[in-house]
């Protein structure tokens, strides 16, 4: 028995969900574990004025870089950008808003949002630009700043495998922000390499329970590598 | 003679201890992994969600799903574990990582560090640096002692926007090693690079320090 969560394409999986001005979380670290197919479908949809919450902003012409080229993104909330000339150009020209979050604060804001926690105190960023305008509180003699939980209208994530009920398993460091973003989207759409029948996974090995997943597609993946670094085999 | 990049990494490797969980920053800190003392078990964390980083892959082992925080392809080890970004920073913020070794543009004698932003230039973002300096138990900095123009980067007060305040424990520069006093009242010079004199340090250091060699 399926759950009605499986869609035939990325475009179909996003149907009825898109409007201008949406806030969207997009999983991945660099180009590793990004929802390639759903990003391409967002590009093709022409939806605009987006606020995108994602650790990075892709590279020129790939990943979220595609949505920058088409000017569909109004604002990014990220920890690390700069792999992307078009991003740089739009930002320096004042065409793109940018909010930097420390990477761990970004992850925890998303975790908190998904867990129904509106705010939390962290030592990260205390005494820096990040703390400007934020409440400071002392606990046991150490100072912490108030950060707020983040939620999104839509989360688009990438997992390795899903079962038909939306239970997910990730692979290696392609997990990164994906599981936590799955919890913080009002609607979460997942693309995977393979959909398997219910009962195929050992329940103890599931990373993200299906309750967080609304729609699933299988995609084809380029999996572009940013920094291919190898060592040489010693010759005999 | 001032220390080279590899000398800095070798000196920083002396801060490793058996059983440590360690996060290395990008650049010179990455080289520290080449100088782990024999017989010592050290586990490297990559903040994108991995404990137990292995070496770079052979050409036929490259896996796009397996990268480090510098976005380089790497390999796993028998003891490797993977986890989400939120678990990764819980580990960092919660004080479970023993040591981080990071680069810096400036440090101050109260333990402040600036390593993420130069106003007016393109800002790439702080990534995990603010979380690492705030959460990891011991913070070691490796850096050039002076700028290209010969100005001290070891200061009374950082001029660049801070990454963290009062967080650095040890500063390894191209000229020597300084401990940051826990009360933030200045530095202790504890080592000199070969052929570097106290006069050299005095001429090239703006920070308050006492000599404790």
């Amino acid at each position: 028995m399926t759950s009605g969560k499986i869609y035939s394409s990325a475009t179909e999986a996003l149907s009825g969900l898109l409007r201008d001005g949406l806030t969207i979380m997009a999983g991945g670290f660099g180009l590793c574990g990004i929802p390639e197919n759903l990003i391409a479908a967002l590009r093709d949809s022409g939806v605009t004025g987006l606020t995108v919450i994602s650790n990075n902003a892709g590279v020129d012409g790939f990943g979220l870089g595609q949505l920058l080229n088409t000017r569909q993104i109004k604002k990014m909330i990220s920890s690390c950008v700069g792999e992307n000339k078009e991003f740089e150009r739009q930002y320096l020209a004042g065409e793109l808003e940018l909010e930097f979050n420390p990477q761990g604060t970004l992850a925890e804001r998303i975790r908190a949002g998904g867990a129904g926690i509106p705010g939390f105190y962290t030592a990260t960023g205390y005494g820096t630009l990040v703390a400007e305008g934020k409440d400071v509180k002392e606990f046991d003699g150490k100072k912490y700043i108030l950060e707020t939980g983040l939620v999104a209208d839509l989360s688009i994530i990438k997992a390795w495998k899903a079962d038909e009920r939306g239970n997910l398993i990730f692979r290696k460091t392609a997990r990164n922000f994906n599981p936590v973003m799955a919890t913080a989207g009002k609607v979460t759409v997942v693309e995977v390499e393979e959909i398997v029948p219910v009962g195929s996974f050992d329940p103890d090995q599931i990373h993200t329970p299906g309750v967080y997943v609304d729609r699933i597609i299988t995609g084809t993946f380029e999996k572009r590598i940013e920094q291919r670094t190898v060592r040489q085999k010693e010759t005999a | 003679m001032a220390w080279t990049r590899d000398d800095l990494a070798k000196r920083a490797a002396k801060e490793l201890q058996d059983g440590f969980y360690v996060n290395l920053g990008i650049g010179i800190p990455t080289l520290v992994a080449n100088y782990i003392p024999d017989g010592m078990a050290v586990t490297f964390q990559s903040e994108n969600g991995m404990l137990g980083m292995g070496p770079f892959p052979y050409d036929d082992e490259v896996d796009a799903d397996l990268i480090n925080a510098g976005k380089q392809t790497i390999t796993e080890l028998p003891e490797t574990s993977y986890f989400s970004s939120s678990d990764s920073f819980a580990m960092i913020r919660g004080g479970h990582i023993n040591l981080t070794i990071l680069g810096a543009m400036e440090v101050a004698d109260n333990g402040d560090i600036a390593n993420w932003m130069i106003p007016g230039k393109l800002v790439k973002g702080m990534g995990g640096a603010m979380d690492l300096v705030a959460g990891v138990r011991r913070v070691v900095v490796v850096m050039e002692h002076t700028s290209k123009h010969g100005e001290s980067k070891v200061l009374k007060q950082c001029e660049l926007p801070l990454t963290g305040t009062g967080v650095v424990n040890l500063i390894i520069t191209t000229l020597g090693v300084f401990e940051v006093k826990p009360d933030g009242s200045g530095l202790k010079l504890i080592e000199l690079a070969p052929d570097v004199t106290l006069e050299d340090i005095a001429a090239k250091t703006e920070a308050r320090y006492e000599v404790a060699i």
Side-chain angles (χ1 to χ4, degrees):
Chain A
M1 194 186 101
T2 65
S3 55
K5 292 183 180 182
I6 299 169
Y7 286 70
S8 62
S9 70
T11 300
E12 195 195 321
L14 293 176
S15 66
L17 301 179
L18 301 182
R19 60 174 193 278
D20 291 348
L22 279 183
T23 296
I24 299 177
M25 287 182 187
F29 180 93
L31 299 179
C32 182
I34 61 171
E36 298 179 22
N37 296 275
L38 290 161
I39 290 169
L42 272 179
R43 178 199 62 206
D44 295 343
S45 78
V47 69
T48 188
L50 302 174
T51 294
V52 177
I53 301 167
S54 186
N55 190 57
N56 314 90
V59 296
D60 285 303
F62 192 67
L64 292 172
Q66 295 174 85
L67 303 185
L68 289 163
N69 288 349
T70 50
R71 309 292 189 93
Q72 286 168 276
I73 299 178
K74 181 185 73 174
K75 178 178 179 180
M76 289 287 315
I77 301 178
S78 301
S79 88
C80 190
V81 293
E83 310 296 339
N84 191 319
K85 290 270 181 298
E86 179 60 16
F87 185 103
E88 179 178 350
R89 194 201 63 70
Q90 288 184 22
Y91 176 65
L92 294 175
E95 296 166 10
L96 179 69
E97 291 174 56
L98 173 61
E99 178 185 324
F100 275 129
N101 283 194
Q103 196 175 138
T105 294
L106 181 63
E108 189 63 11
R109 292 184 71 193
I110 298 164
R111 196 199 69 80
I117 295 170
F120 60 94
Y121 284 92
T122 177
T124 301
Y126 171 73
T128 76
L129 291 177
V130 165
E132 280 183 4
K134 290 175 185 165
D135 186 43
V136 175
K137 197 161 177 163
E138 195 171 305
F139 297 86
D140 293 329
K142 191 172 170 185
K143 297 229 172 59
Y144 298 81
I145 60 174
L146 178 64
E147 295 282 2
T148 55
L150 277 175
V151 290
D153 299 306
L154 170 66
S155 283
I156 54 172
I157 68 161
K158 195 268 169 179
W160 183 35
K161 293 182 182 181
D163 73 15
E164 294 159 328
R165 293 296 190 93
N167 294 310
L168 304 179
I169 292 181
F170 300 91
R171 185 170 179 275
K172 303 185 188 286
T173 57
R175 191 182 315 187
N176 56 60
F177 280 85
N178 285 299
V180 74
M181 286 182 170
T183 71
K186 286 176 193 151
V187 179
T188 293
V189 183
V190 182
E191 59 182 66
V192 298
E193 294 174 42
E194 187 182 0
I195 299 175
V196 298
V198 168
S200 304
F201 294 153
D202 175 349
D204 274 329
Q205 305 301 322
I206 290 167
H207 296 134
T208 290
V211 68
Y212 296 113
V213 173
D214 299 292
R215 300 183 179 191
I216 314 161
I217 57 158
T218 49
T220 53
F221 295 89
E222 177 182 336
K223 293 197 185 181
R224 196 180 290 188
I225 292 172
E226 268 180 86
Q227 307 278 344
R228 187 188 177 93
T229 44
V230 295
R231 59 185 163 142
Q232 299 304 316
K233 281 190 177 148
E234 287 162 33
T235 46
Chain B
M1 204 179 75
W3 276 325
T4 64
R5 287 165 60 88
D6 277 292
D7 295 333
L8 287 171
K10 269 183 220 170
R11 175 58 190 84
K14 290 186 182 175
E15 301 303 311
L16 301 171
Q17 292 180 29
D18 195 34
F20 261 21
Y21 291 90
V22 178
N23 185 297
L24 300 178
I26 292 166
I28 296 171
T30 306
L31 302 175
V32 173
N34 299 334
Y35 299 106
I36 304 168
D38 284 344
M40 192 179 277
V42 174
T43 307
F44 291 107
Q45 199 236 22
S46 189
E47 65 264 26
N48 53 321
M50 179 183 199
L51 269 174
M53 261 197 287
F56 294 136
Y58 294 118
D59 200 52
D60 56 6
E61 292 177 330
V62 168
D63 184 339
D65 289 340
L66 182 45
I67 63 168
N68 64 18
K71 292 155 192 147
Q72 297 170 309
T73 46
I74 49 165
T75 55
E76 64 186 22
L77 299 169
E79 69 267 29
T80 294
S81 58
Y82 298 110
F83 33 83
S84 71
S85 298
S86 59
D87 285 332
S88 179
F89 284 94
M91 213 172 275
I92 290 167
R93 200 186 302 104
H96 306 280
I97 303 297
N98 300 94
L99 172 69
T100 185
I101 301 173
L102 298 168
M105 300 168 184
E106 294 177 350
V107 290
D109 59 28
N110 65 346
D112 287 0
I113 174 171
N115 73 353
W116 77 281
M117 178 183 188
I118 300 174
K121 292 204 175 174
L122 175 70
V123 181
K124 288 195 170 188
M126 68 290 280
M130 287 191 181
D131 308 279
L132 285 162
V133 299
V136 174
R137 277 184 255 166
R138 183 167 167 79
V139 176
V140 171
V141 168
V142 290
M143 64 187 295
E144 299 277 341
H145 197 96
T146 56
S147 71
K148 275 182 232 161
H149 312 293
E151 291 158 347
S152 178
K153 294 172 141 195
V154 184
L155 303 168
K156 289 195 176 80
Q157 196 173 357
C158 293
E159 286 160 18
L160 295 169
L162 295 179
T163 307
T165 178
V167 293
V168 176
N169 300 106
L170 190 77
I171 304 162
I172 303 170
T173 78
T174 40
L175 301 184
V177 183
F178 298 85
E179 270 176 24
V180 182
K181 291 195 224 170
D183 65 1
S185 65
L187 307 177
K188 273 189 194 173
L189 175 64
I190 58 168
E191 286 174 46
L192 292 171
D195 303 325
V196 172
T197 65
L198 290 175
E199 290 71 29
D200 294 331
I201 298 280
K204 291 175 178 169
T205 307
E206 191 215 85
R208 297 168 296 168
Y209 68 94
E210 58 190 59
V211 178
I213 294 174

